[in-house]
Amino acid sequence: MSTHYDIIIIGTGAGVGTLAYRLATHGKRILVLERGPFLPREKQNWDTKTVFQTNRYHCSETWYDKNGQELHPGMSYFVGGNTKVYGAALFRLREKDFEKYTHRDGISPEWPLKYQDFEPYYDEAEQLYQVHGKAGQDPTEPFRSREFPYPAVIHEPRIQEVSDALAAKGLHPYHTPMGIRLNEAQRYLSACIRCNTCDGFPCLVQAKSDAEISAVRPVMGQENVTLLTEAKVIRLHTSPSGREVTAVEVTWQGERHYFSGDLVAVACGAINSSVLMLQSANDQHPNGLANSSDLVGRNFMKHVLGSIIGVTQRPNPTLFQKTLSINDFYWGEPGYDYPLGQIQTLGKVSKEALEDNAAAYAPLTPEQVAGYSVDWWLTTEDLPDPNNRIMVDGDRIILDYTENNSEPYAHLEQRWIEILRSIDCGEAILPHCSYFVQGVKSYGSP
């Protein structure tokens, strides 16, 4: 095997999976290094208890907080990264998201690049990841150079009723932009079967637009692309001047290997990218690579989020529920001048998902809750804080994080509960469903 490449890419998630796809067309010799294997296709992909109550599809690592307490991250180390188990909702940021903006607990700083710089690439990414949506429904949506490449995913009847009820209240529900390989006009040609095991599950029929299926697999057969799985990068080595990376140190097949490249792209997640740079400290970079500013690992953000189960008086037989979003509170509301966040339907909760915590839903049974609920995901932005940081102590990963901007989330949650009750979707409100929060609250990816 060659040890020198034009480009070495560390990771295979949404960012660098897409990077590998694009660079492969230029004929450059590319080495892609992924610490995990391919996620196995097996019946357990769609087994609720396996997916959400075991670590079969999440890593078994232990991280630590600043007090030495254990953290068990909901990270997925497979080709495709966390996109293998993501919910496939693919939103664009709004124009003002790139500007300096005041939130309840501080400032969201200005980006050096703006929305218009990214818009052409959003368009290309939506093509690659087969994003389904409908422009013009959401008043907060940013400028688009053209319509979504695929039509919006149709609401099932009960969700359409909820959408109509919200619209009658003066809100602006819209179709969630979904990256799935769905053909509703010709179902016999569709990879996606609109099942109830999408959000948080691996896709057994490979119909979710994850980074493996959409970006990595299409190029891995090319002669100029080499993919090594179960190859963990443990250190980057530099020249004596410290100005260039001369070797990437990798453990693979039980042995240590060294590869070099003209360019090295480090994109193995917000946490592990920082860990790699910090663990690559040397005489020229005593605090870690690219860290003369002491900013590597600082300003860690993860969003403030939670879920709500709204039990209604009407049955909800919906299978594919993740089709509806609301941004009416994205920038706040009259009387509340700070951004609140985004609301979307979750994948449909099931009886099996709730049984492990049945006492929390009494006097209702898990079967009653699952049969009559409409389920929601709420996300509020947290803010960069240099004291929220990733650190290393030998092989230990330490995450020092204190949540901020949580008051807007509490406001949004209460506001949404009021609205659910006003449209008869809140006969019983069961907040923070542990089934969906399990991995995310442990700093996974929604």
Side-chain angles (χ1 to χ4, degrees):
M1 183 184 297
S2 173
T3 60
H4 184 81
Y5 294 83
D6 296 316
I7 303 163
I8 296 177
I9 294 175
I10 302 171
T12 57
V16 280
T18 307
L19 177 66
Y21 177 88
R22 167 52 64 86
L23 293 178
T25 63
H26 293 273
K28 299 293 185 180
R29 296 181 65 251
I30 300 171
L31 174 64
V32 182
L33 299 168
E34 168 54 51
R35 69 183 293 175
F38 285 94
L39 191 149
R41 294 182 69 189
E42 55 192 4
K43 291 177 68 174
Q44 292 97 321
N45 290 171
W46 283 351
D47 181 78
T48 299
K49 293 188 182 297
T50 297
V51 170
F52 294 105
Q53 297 176 16
T54 76
N55 281 327
R56 188 174 185 85
Y57 303 120
H58 292 121
C59 73
S60 57
E61 288 182 332
T62 299
W63 299 347
Y64 299 88
D65 68 14
K66 63 182 178 181
N67 299 315
Q69 297 297 310
E70 292 186 356
L71 299 173
H72 299 282
M75 306 292 288
S76 293
Y77 295 149
F78 296 102
V79 177
N82 283 325
T83 66
K84 293 303 296 181
V85 294
Y86 81 146
L90 294 172
F91 299 95
R92 295 187 179 198
L93 294 177
R94 276 50 187 155
E95 289 99 334
K96 287 194 294 186
D97 283 314
F98 295 87
E99 304 294 340
K100 180 179 178 181
Y101 208 87
T102 301
H103 291 252
R104 171 65 175 78
D105 283 0
I107 300 294
S108 177
E110 181 182 8
W111 290 44
L113 297 175
K114 304 300 182 182
Y115 173 80
Q116 60 266 27
D117 299 308
F118 288 97
E119 200 282 332
Y121 301 102
Y122 272 125
D123 187 73
E124 289 187 43
E126 288 173 348
Q127 295 280 343
L128 176 61
Y129 285 88
Q130 299 192 18
V131 179
H132 295 248
K134 176 64 177 175
Q137 297 180 323
D138 171 25
T140 75
E141 72 179 3
F143 160 77
R144 303 180 57 90
S145 55
R146 55 177 167 173
E147 179 59 89
F148 283 92
Y150 295 89
V153 181
I154 297 170
H155 299 316
E156 292 182 40
R158 182 69 181 109
I159 302 306
Q160 184 62 59
E161 291 174 354
V162 173
S163 178
D164 293 342
L166 292 171
K169 288 285 183 180
L171 299 173
H172 300 83
Y174 67 100
H175 287 83
T176 302
M178 295 294 298
I180 52 177
R181 308 168 85 82
L182 173 68
N183 186 335
E184 293 192 292
Q186 297 176 297
R187 287 291 181 89
Y188 62 95
L189 295 176
S190 178
C192 177
I193 59 174
R194 287 191 65 126
C195 69
N196 65 345
T197 50
C198 183
D199 197 359
F201 292 81
C203 184
L204 180 59
V205 295
Q206 298 187 337
K208 189 185 299 187
S209 294
D210 61 56
E212 177 205 344
I213 299 303
S214 297
V216 177
R217 280 192 180 271
V219 302
M220 59 184 282
Q222 296 182 198
E223 290 185 1
N224 62 313
V225 178
T226 300
L227 169 65
L228 295 187
T229 61
E230 299 180 82
K232 182 179 179 180
V233 178
I234 59 175
R235 191 177 183 88
L236 303 176
H237 294 270
T238 70
S239 62
S241 69
R243 296 180 62 84
E244 61 184 1
V245 173
T246 57
V248 176
E249 185 177 347
V250 180
T251 56
W252 181 57
Q253 295 186 343
E255 298 182 353
R256 193 155 296 194
H257 299 262
Y258 296 84
F259 303 99
S260 61
D262 298 333
L263 293 173
V264 177
V266 178
C268 44
I271 292 177
N272 283 304
S273 292
S274 297
V275 168
L276 178 59
M277 303 296 274
L278 294 170
Q279 290 182 331
S280 298
N282 57 30
D283 290 342
Q284 291 75 32
H285 302 278
N287 296 320
L289 297 191
N291 197 27
S292 61
S293 63
D294 193 35
L295 287 176
V296 172
R298 290 189 182 271
N299 296 296
F300 177 74
M301 300 165 64
K302 71 170 185 67
H303 298 312
V304 184
L305 40 79
S307 57
I308 291 175
I309 299 175
V311 181
T312 76
Q313 292 185 339
R314 301 187 57 188
N316 181 12
T318 301
L319 294 177
F320 194 91
Q321 182 175 258
K322 198 179 177 76
T323 58
L324 178 65
S325 286
I326 297 92
N327 276 357
D328 289 79
F329 308 102
Y330 196 91
W331 299 116
E333 64 173 333
Y336 196 94
D337 295 333
Y338 301 108
L340 288 169
Q342 200 265 353
I343 301 165
Q344 59 183 281
T345 44
L346 278 168
K348 187 71 192 76
V349 298
S350 65
K351 172 176 69 72
E352 294 76 17
L354 304 176
E355 284 174 336
D356 195 51
N357 194 28
Y361 311 111
L364 300 175
T365 66
E367 185 173 17
Q368 289 172 323
V369 172
Y372 285 78
S373 70
V374 180
D375 317 296
W376 304 91
W377 184 260
L378 283 65
T379 305
T380 297
E381 190 64 80
D382 61 352
L383 299 170
D385 179 344
N387 295 313
N388 284 340
R389 63 184 303 196
I390 301 144
M391 299 177 289
V392 296
D393 180 9
D395 292 331
R396 288 165 63 106
I397 297 174
I398 301 168
L399 183 57
D400 184 349
Y401 179 82
T402 300
E403 188 170 273
N404 61 45
N405 215 39
S406 55
E407 193 276 335
Y409 174 82
H411 184 103
L412 179 64
E413 180 179 83
Q414 185 56 44
R415 187 76 174 87
W416 192 241
I417 289 171
E418 293 170 359
I419 290 171
L420 292 180
R421 286 175 171 152
S422 75
I423 61 170
D424 297 324
C425 278
E427 183 73 13
I429 297 293
L430 306 171
H432 305 302
C433 171
S434 60
Y435 163 46
F436 283 98
V437 174
Q438 174 192 12
V440 178
K441 280 296 186 186
S442 299
Y443 312 108
S445 174

